[in-house]
Amino acid sequence: MLFRSAEPGQVLPLTGNFRSHGQVLEFVNAVFARLMRPEVGGVDYDEAARLQPGSPGTRPRVAPDGVPRVEIHVRLTQRRAAGAEGDPEAGEGDAEPDDATESEARLVGRRLIELKRDGLEVLMRKEGTRRPFEWRDAVVLLRSPGPRGGAFARVFGELGIPLATAPGPLFEQPEVRDLR
């Protein structure tokens, strides 16, 4: 959809989303409704601004087991001293690494291990059946992998999680170069 504005500064909500699953959109809408308020950033995230599924395959559905399909994990970036009060990791002998990227990779890797260990089931749409979660069902998207991809590969290797990373910058990948 093409939007043209005759007046500078006119708000044009781009609400149709054709890529994300409806449950992801519901999560994003819930977060944005709390964060985007006139008193916080001068923006009101009202019904007109809410993201809407743009195609039938993205329509929100309620999971039959009621388990949330979207999670958010917040990682504090300031390190606490070992043994600090309220530090759940203190004293476990498995301190987070100093490097922020490795810390993030370890958080993601541990969560993937939990999902596999706890028996997460993946819906096979064509067959209408479920099967146990496999490593190939997960993908980690990084804005610009570069050295971060190497850190994730290193940490995932330590945790026993297979990981394939694309070599080099995204815009240098053959598929992207061909499109450009």
Side-chain angles (χ1 to χ4, degrees):
M1 187 175 292
L2 177 64
F3 291 97
R4 293 190 179 146
S5 173
E7 300 175 35
Q10 183 179 357
V11 175
L12 299 171
L14 303 174
T15 59
N17 185 300
F18 292 86
R19 293 186 177 263
S20 301
H21 192 281
Q23 290 172 332
V24 172
L25 297 180
E26 288 300 315
F27 173 79
V28 169
N29 284 332
V31 170
F32 282 9
R34 292 177 190 255
L35 295 178
M36 297 176 71
R37 300 185 318 251
E39 62 272 14
V40 175
V43 177
D44 190 16
Y45 196 77
D46 57 11
E47 285 301 314
R50 289 177 59 84
L51 296 173
Q52 302 295 323
S55 62
T58 62
R59 300 274 187 257
R61 292 182 296 228
V62 176
D65 57 6
V67 175
R69 297 302 186 240
V70 177
E71 298 179 10
I72 186 169
H73 297 264
V74 177
R75 184 180 56 81
L76 300 176
T77 57
Q78 291 183 334
R79 257 180 82 76
R80 296 180 184 190
E85 185 177 338
D87 184 355
E89 300 284 325
E92 290 185 13
D94 190 19
E96 293 281 318
D98 287 334
D99 181 64
T101 300
E102 287 191 17
S103 176
E104 183 179 350
R106 195 164 305 283
L107 175 76
V108 172
R110 286 178 177 161
R111 181 61 183 133
L112 290 173
I113 289 169
E114 286 175 8
L115 292 172
K116 191 161 177 60
R117 181 195 64 217
D118 294 347
L120 175 71
E121 291 186 330
V122 175
L123 175 64
M124 304 298 293
R125 285 189 181 159
K126 287 183 181 178
E127 296 85 5
T129 60
R130 295 181 177 276
R131 64 167 172 73
F133 169 80
E134 298 173 8
W135 295 126
R136 65 186 172 102
D137 296 318
V139 63
V140 177
L141 301 175
L142 301 173
R143 185 177 41 186
S144 58
R148 294 187 61 176
F152 268 78
R154 186 173 48 259
V155 170
F156 276 36
E158 291 171 8
L159 295 173
I161 302 171
L163 175 67
T165 61
L170 174 65
F171 289 108
E172 297 304 317
Q173 300 303 312
E175 301 85 353
V176 176
R177 251 193 343 256
D178 291 346
L179 286 173
R180 291 189 351 189

